[in-house]
Amino acid sequence: MRIAIVLNSSWNIFNFRMGLIEALQNQGIDVYAIAPRDDYSKLLEQAGCQFEPVKMDSRGTNPMKDIRLIKELYNVYKKIRPDVVLHYTIKPNIYGTVAASLLRIPVVNNVCGLGTVFLKEGITSRIAIGMYKMAFRFPRKVFFQNDYDLDLFVERRIVKKGICDVLPGSGIDLNRFSPMGSSRTKGKFTFLLISRLLHDKGVLEYIDAVRKLKESGLEAHFQILGPKAPDHKRGIDLSIIDSWLEQGLVEYLGTTDDVREYIDKADCVVLPSYREGTPRTLLEAASSAKPIVTTDVPGCNNVVSDNENGFLCRLKDADDLAQKMKKMAELPDDKLLEMGRVGRKRMEERFSEHVVINKYLHTLNQIK
């Protein structure tokens, strides 16, 4: 059996789908990774995948480029003839599905998050919904990462409910991300935001909250880990980021292929995002038994229950975020540890990578 996994970057496949790939390979399935070539493409080949490069601008909306992407994916699918294609992210979900349908190849789509296109009503949103409706007539299965997104797609008649199911994100490797305890004894309380530096990740609200906390006299470390994205349409301008560093508001840690050492040194992970599928960074933090402060929005509140394994704050509200961060920093050690234990238990019960893999294998067996 041949399975193709299609994403908007090789980095994404390597970092978030290797557990699934290994499980498929252990079943004797040949796995084809289809994505733009980057530094991680060779690692996918070394892991035993057949790699097929495609050109894909994940941010662009040029109709001619998108038509060419359909043709390019059609040619790749025709060449390798997979038995099933697994699509992730918007463009593979839409254009890859169209290409596969022309060849009558079964498709399983994965809606990993709705992004800003569904946060604002307008012409862009209407076009996106129309394209989803057109493409989502063809999949055999559509996985969502939370019930909110599934219900939205069903209510807007984008997809039939009978082919839908919910996965706990990409799942978390509970052995790789294991409890690390509290680091408060190593120095000041440390807050860590792990994210691309985009507006809709709530980075500006985080900075505003940090400024308020510093002005109030809270002694703590405030860190950001994740890539700058100045070319992204929702990216934060580099001059703004530089001004934060010049003012000494936050410590920018850059990027990494292994977040565990940074989570280990943090006392609390923060993500004030506007909306998520199921945020990977929060799964990693909770699995590592770290308490969390995040927004009370779909995806984030799927991982965190208020006052149990963290605190939920209001959307786009830096004052409320600052209050919740201050409350977290003032908790006694035993309460921090208890929140961490609750988060870890939730990961073990609901978000294990094995849950995700078993659902995929069950779906593939039904399609065969």
Side-chain angles (χ1 to χ4, degrees):
M1 188 177 190
R2 296 180 176 184
I3 302 294
I5 295 179
V6 191
L7 262 151
N8 58 9
S9 71
S10 298
W11 174 89
N12 200 321
I13 298 177
F14 185 80
N15 280 280
F16 300 145
R17 305 297 163 187
M18 281 309 302
L20 172 61
I21 287 172
E22 291 170 2
L24 294 174
Q25 290 172 333
N26 289 337
Q27 297 282 322
I29 295 171
D30 294 326
V31 179
Y32 288 75
I34 302 173
R37 188 178 292 279
D38 60 31
D39 293 341
Y40 292 81
S41 306
K42 181 62 68 175
L43 297 178
L44 291 172
E45 292 177 318
Q46 291 172 2
C49 295
Q50 300 290 327
F51 180 74
E52 293 287 340
V54 294
K55 296 177 182 178
M56 190 186 310
D57 182 359
S58 62
R59 300 185 299 270
T61 56
N62 185 313
M64 293 307 297
K65 286 186 178 180
D66 292 340
I67 291 172
R68 286 198 292 270
L69 177 58
I70 294 175
K71 183 178 180 181
E72 188 175 15
L73 290 171
Y74 175 91
N75 289 334
V76 172
Y77 297 165
K78 186 176 181 180
K79 170 188 171 184
I80 67 177
R81 286 289 174 179
D83 296 287
V84 182
V85 180
L86 304 181
H87 291 128
Y88 301 82
T89 64
I90 294 175
K91 290 201 172 183
N93 274 337
I94 293 174
Y95 304 117
T97 300
V98 173
S101 69
L102 295 173
L103 294 165
R104 301 181 184 276
I105 298 173
V107 163
V108 176
N109 284 348
N110 296 265
V111 179
C112 303
L114 301 187
T116 55
V117 72
F118 281 85
L119 295 177
K120 297 179 180 179
E121 293 292 340
I123 184 65
T124 302
S125 176
R126 289 195 293 272
I127 291 173
I129 291 171
M131 294 171 68
Y132 270 119
K133 284 183 177 180
M134 177 269 297
F136 275 33
R137 294 178 295 159
F138 304 109
R140 296 285 188 89
K141 194 81 172 180
V142 178
F143 285 118
F144 294 83
Q145 294 195 350
N146 61 67
D147 291 313
Y148 300 98
D149 293 350
L150 188 159
D151 291 342
L152 178 61
F153 268 56
V154 172
E155 289 169 5
R156 297 199 177 191
R157 299 183 179 179
I158 296 172
V159 66
K160 294 180 180 179
K161 189 171 184 178
I163 64 169
C164 298
D165 199 356
V166 175
L167 290 174
S170 55
I172 190 72
D173 184 338
L174 296 169
N175 293 319
R176 178 173 168 77
F177 290 91
S178 56
M180 299 177 182
S182 174
S183 62
R184 190 203 292 267
T185 56
K186 301 174 186 176
K188 295 180 182 178
F189 196 93
T190 299
F191 292 99
L192 173 64
L193 184 149
I194 308 173
S195 170
R196 286 186 297 166
L197 273 64
L198 303 177
H199 286 273
D200 54 3
K201 295 297 181 180
V203 179
L204 296 183
E205 286 79 6
Y206 178 67
I207 294 298
D208 286 345
V210 169
R211 185 178 285 109
K212 294 174 188 298
L213 291 169
K214 282 180 174 286
E215 290 173 352
S216 73
L218 180 67
E219 292 289 331
H221 292 298
F222 303 96
Q223 301 176 334
I224 296 178
L225 174 66
K228 301 173 183 177
D231 296 329
H232 196 289
K233 63 182 179 181
R234 303 188 304 279
I236 298 171
D237 190 272
L238 294 180
S239 63
I240 295 176
I241 299 171
D242 289 340
S243 72
W244 301 339
L245 304 182
E246 291 169 3
Q247 296 172 57
L249 286 173
V250 292
E251 178 185 0
Y252 178 59
L253 303 176
T255 61
T256 182
D257 286 333
D258 191 346
V259 300
R260 289 176 295 176
E261 64 173 300
Y262 298 98
I263 294 176
D264 184 21
K265 296 174 183 177
D267 296 294
C268 173
V269 172
V270 182
L271 183 65
S273 180
Y274 297 172
R275 189 184 181 108
E276 295 283 337
T278 293
R280 177 79 177 192
T281 56
L282 296 191
L283 297 184
E284 293 168 347
S287 185
S288 303
K290 296 292 182 178
I292 296 166
V293 174
T294 191
T295 333
D296 190 7
V297 297
C300 296
N301 58 20
N302 196 36
V303 179
V304 175
S305 292
D306 197 34
N307 289 306
E308 292 185 13
N309 61 319
F311 295 130
L312 295 174
C313 65
R314 292 190 293 269
L315 174 65
K316 300 182 183 180
D317 190 333
D319 288 324
D320 191 46
L321 174 60
Q323 289 176 16
K324 298 301 167 57
M325 291 172 66
K326 185 174 187 293
K327 185 177 179 181
M328 183 69 75
E330 293 175 344
L331 288 177
D333 288 351
D334 60 343
K335 181 60 177 176
L336 290 174
L337 291 170
E338 176 60 21
M339 280 190 166
R341 284 192 289 268
V342 171
R344 172 68 186 190
K345 184 178 180 182
R346 175 172 291 200
M347 295 303 102
E348 293 171 348
E349 293 176 347
R350 295 174 48 192
F351 291 91
S352 168
E353 189 176 56
H354 295 298
V355 175
V356 176
I357 290 171
N358 288 337
K359 281 202 173 187
Y360 277 119
L361 293 176
H362 177 71
T363 299
L364 294 174
N365 286 330
Q366 287 183 319
I367 292 175
K368 276 198 282 188

